[in-house]
Amino acid sequence: RSLELLAEAVVSTQSTGKKEEKDEEEGAASDEDEGAMKEEVESEEAGEGKLPQPLHKPQSLFVRSLTPLITKEDMLQVVKKQNIPGFLRLAMADPLPERKYYRRAWVTFAHNTDIKEACGILLNSKVEKYDHDLNVVVNRELSKRVRMVPPLTRSLYALQKDVKWLECLVEELDKGAGLWVSQGDTVKEEEEGDEEREEGSEKAAESYNNPLMGELREFATNTLTIPKPEHELDHGETNEDDVHIIKDNQLLVLDKVILYLRVVHMVDYYNGTQFHNEDEMPNKIGVFHIRGPCESTVSKTTLQDVTDWNKQLAEKLQCIVDEIRGVTITEEEANDIGLKTEEETVEEFVKANTEEQGPGKFHCPLSGKKFKGPEFVRKHIFNKHAEKVESVKKDAVFWNHYIQDPRRPMDPLYPPIQHSNNNSYNQHHNHNNNNNNNYNQPPRPNMHPAFPAPYGFPTPFPAAPVPKGRKMVSYNDLDAPDEYDVLGL
């Protein structure tokens, strides 16, 4: 219900803005009325004894790293256990493959909280379940929440693509959230019990009537005209007239739809990203990308630049649409990666827990009992260890969902190579690296970072490392004669 109210409020902003402009043109209220209104407001504030509070500016702490085993419930227990006043919410980021799947977290407090004291309290606490100390610092505010994109987004070709993507995104997200979908007639038709009317009710439930979509289509037909066929990519550089730059005062409807996506569905359109857990973050609306200023001194924009921008943005937006529609990878690709079935995983589990110790002797490591045949071990596992069999089936289902997810977290195919600071050795073997074509890509990881060798192989006789610290102390007898005295030299 709150999401519906938010969507209606964003849509009604334009109508209220027009009304305010008309009121300003007609004239403001008289000075006497304004004075009376001010007195009433001051009397109300004096009676209540409270001033407006900056609720939109909370304070937060940033937890730099958390092990993948720590869940959100574990962190909530640690924070609530300290009884810090003003605690509002906790947000945790997804595991990062490039950081060994470690996670980051943000703890948000009210604006009147002593954030340094809260930081000191959490800095001295830890997750006792995993004996993990919290590395907490005071979170900085975003320096640039509103960021600019290239001015070429005003071109006619880019705007035509934007209208299609915006219409698709808004409709898919609204239907997924149940916004602007008429469902009033479906209940009456289902109560009557007529099969034909039930089919009609399903069609009525799918009806979508967001008023922004009508304005967007009208904007596309009136403002975005069809480009001339003579404008093609092989013309090279063209001036602003050739790429059809449209002014900002004609793009108010487009900006309204982009703002609707950002506020209601947490989608930053020009950046091609969707923030799923932004409600839990310190800033409810963080980064927002808008069109940059159209300067006359900017270098000439080519049609190739516009097509490259449209291609890059389309790849990002297609990922969001596929995620909304639940698109998965193909069965062939999933089978190549290693798709499993419940029957195969159960059979592997039974075989792994059936050990043959001799002729006619089989052992079950789960319970330690011995049986005369493998069929008896199988029956024993299904009867006495049914919960473990069910957990194996759940693991297979979890693995299949992970495989079919196109945005699943994965380790990089080739981990980054650590470059050594020993430049002399690299220069000495540089000619061998340039002339050998057997090791083009990918290079093998360096097995000895301290002594780099060509192609990552260890050197046969590496140089001894330079000793650090104090010199080695000799424990020879000081009263013993020297060698030359013994030899009589």
Side-chain angles (χ1 to χ4, degrees):
R1 179 58 182 169
S2 60
L3 189 61
E4 293 178 359
L5 295 175
L6 179 61
E8 293 176 358
V10 174
V11 172
S12 62
T13 51
Q14 188 176 12
S15 60
T16 54
K18 292 181 179 179
K19 290 180 180 179
E20 290 178 357
E21 291 178 358
K22 291 181 179 179
D23 294 338
E24 291 178 357
E25 291 177 358
E26 292 176 357
S30 61
D31 297 337
E32 296 178 357
D33 295 338
E34 291 179 356
M37 291 293 293
K38 290 181 180 179
E39 291 178 358
E40 291 178 359
V41 173
E42 291 176 358
S43 61
E44 289 178 358
E45 291 181 354
E48 294 178 358
K50 295 181 180 180
L51 296 176
Q53 298 179 357
L55 300 177
H56 61 287
K57 291 184 179 181
Q59 303 185 74
S60 60
L61 298 176
F62 176 61
V63 185
R64 293 180 176 176
S65 61
L66 293 173
T67 60
L69 300 176
I70 298 176
T71 60
K72 187 176 181 180
E73 288 74 14
D74 297 334
M75 279 295 300
L76 284 174
Q77 290 180 1
V78 174
V79 176
K80 292 181 178 180
K81 184 179 179 181
Q82 305 299 330
N83 293 326
I84 302 175
F87 170 69
L88 296 178
R89 53 188 176 271
L90 171 68
M92 294 184 66
D94 294 333
L96 301 174
E98 61 272 13
R99 295 190 178 184
K100 299 182 179 180
Y101 295 95
Y102 272 64
R103 307 177 70 179
R104 296 178 294 182
W106 293 265
V107 187
T108 308
F109 297 90
H111 68 282
N112 54 358
T113 305
D114 190 355
I115 196 64
K116 293 184 178 180
E117 182 180 356
C119 181
I121 294 173
L122 289 180
L123 195 61
N124 296 326
S125 59
K126 64 180 181 178
V127 184
E128 298 179 355
K129 185 177 179 180
Y130 302 101
D131 194 18
H132 181 82
D133 296 330
L134 298 180
N135 189 2
V136 185
V137 294
V138 178
N139 190 25
R140 299 178 182 177
E141 295 185 0
L142 292 174
S143 58
K144 293 182 179 180
R145 297 182 65 176
V146 180
R147 303 179 183 181
M148 305 295 180
V149 294
L152 56 87
T153 52
R154 293 179 175 82
S155 64
L156 177 62
Y157 302 99
L159 292 173
Q160 288 176 343
K161 296 291 184 180
D162 292 340
V163 169
K164 294 180 181 179
W165 279 113
L166 287 171
E167 186 176 358
C168 177
L169 283 172
V170 172
E171 185 173 355
E172 292 289 341
L173 291 169
D174 284 346
K175 288 182 178 180
L179 299 176
W180 308 106
V181 178
S182 61
Q183 298 177 353
D185 297 336
T186 58
V187 179
K188 296 180 181 179
E189 293 176 354
E190 289 178 358
E191 289 177 356
E192 293 178 2
D194 192 357
E195 295 180 357
E196 296 179 356
R197 291 182 180 179
E198 286 181 0
E199 293 177 358
S201 65
E202 294 178 358
K203 295 181 181 179
E206 295 178 358
S207 62
Y208 177 67
N209 54 358
N210 190 341
L212 285 178
M213 294 297 97
E215 297 179 9
L216 187 63
R217 296 188 188 99
E218 184 179 358
F219 161 76
T221 55
N222 297 337
T223 307
L224 304 181
T225 57
I226 300 175
K228 297 180 181 180
E230 61 185 5
H231 296 291
E232 295 179 354
L233 297 180
D234 55 358
H235 283 189
E237 294 186 356
T238 57
N239 53 24
E240 292 183 351
D241 295 334
D242 291 330
V243 293
H244 298 284
I245 298 297
I246 298 178
K247 297 180 180 179
D248 287 333
N249 55 5
Q250 300 177 358
L251 304 178
L252 297 179
V253 177
L254 189 74
D255 294 338
K256 188 176 179 181
V257 179
I258 293 174
L259 182 62
Y260 176 84
L261 276 177
R262 188 65 186 92
V263 175
V264 178
H265 297 293
M266 297 175 291
V267 175
D268 191 2
Y269 175 75
Y270 282 123
N271 194 28
T273 53
Q274 183 180 13
F275 304 96
H276 295 280
N277 60 341
E278 195 173 23
D279 292 338
E280 301 173 355
M281 296 294 289
N283 299 314
K284 290 299 183 71
I285 298 179
V287 179
F288 189 21
H289 287 75
I290 62 174
R291 292 186 302 273
C294 187
E295 300 177 357
S296 59
T297 58
V298 180
S299 60
K300 294 182 180 180
T301 303
T302 62
L303 295 178
Q304 185 63 43
D305 296 337
V306 178
T307 54
D308 292 342
W309 167 263
N310 291 337
K311 184 178 179 181
Q312 294 176 3
L313 184 60
E315 292 177 355
K316 297 179 181 179
L317 297 176
Q318 187 63 44
C319 296
I320 299 176
V321 175
D322 292 343
E323 184 178 0
I324 297 170
R325 296 176 178 175
V327 177
T328 58
I329 63 176
T330 60
E331 294 183 0
E332 296 179 357
E333 187 177 356
N335 291 327
D336 294 339
I337 297 175
L339 196 65
K340 298 181 180 180
T341 60
E342 294 184 2
E343 292 77 10
E344 293 177 356
T345 53
V346 171
E347 290 297 330
E348 292 177 359
F349 176 74
V350 172
K351 290 181 180 179
N353 290 281
T354 303
E355 298 178 355
E356 185 177 2
Q357 296 182 344
K361 293 181 181 180
F362 294 88
H363 174 256
C364 176
L366 298 176
S367 60
K369 295 183 179 181
K370 297 180 180 180
F371 301 89
K372 294 182 179 180
E375 63 276 5
F376 298 105
V377 180
R378 179 185 179 86
K379 185 177 180 181
H380 167 74
I381 292 174
F382 280 97
N383 292 335
K384 300 298 182 180
H385 304 283
E387 68 281 356
K388 295 183 179 180
V389 175
E390 292 297 328
S391 65
V392 169
K393 293 181 179 180
K394 292 180 181 179
D395 292 341
V397 175
F398 176 82
W399 171 258
N400 292 338
H401 286 313
Y402 169 76
I403 289 298
Q404 295 174 354
D405 186 6
R407 302 180 66 182
R408 60 187 179 275
M410 297 181 295
D411 288 330
L413 296 178
Y414 305 108
I417 302 174
Q418 297 180 357
H419 298 283
S420 176
N421 295 328
N422 194 347
N423 296 327
S424 61
Y425 192 91
N426 293 333
Q427 295 176 0
H428 177 70
H429 292 275
N430 191 21
H431 63 280
N432 294 330
N433 293 340
N434 295 332
N435 297 330
N436 197 330
N437 296 325
N438 295 328
Y439 301 95
N440 290 333
Q441 56 178 337
R444 295 187 58 179
N446 195 355
M447 301 171 62
H448 297 272
F451 311 102
Y455 321 120
F457 292 101
T459 55
F461 301 100
V466 179
K468 297 181 180 179
R470 63 184 181 86
K471 297 181 180 180
M472 185 180 295
V473 179
S474 177
Y475 294 96
N476 295 331
D477 190 0
L478 300 178
D479 297 331
D482 296 332
E483 293 182 357
Y484 57 87
D485 292 334
V486 175
L487 297 175
L489 298 177

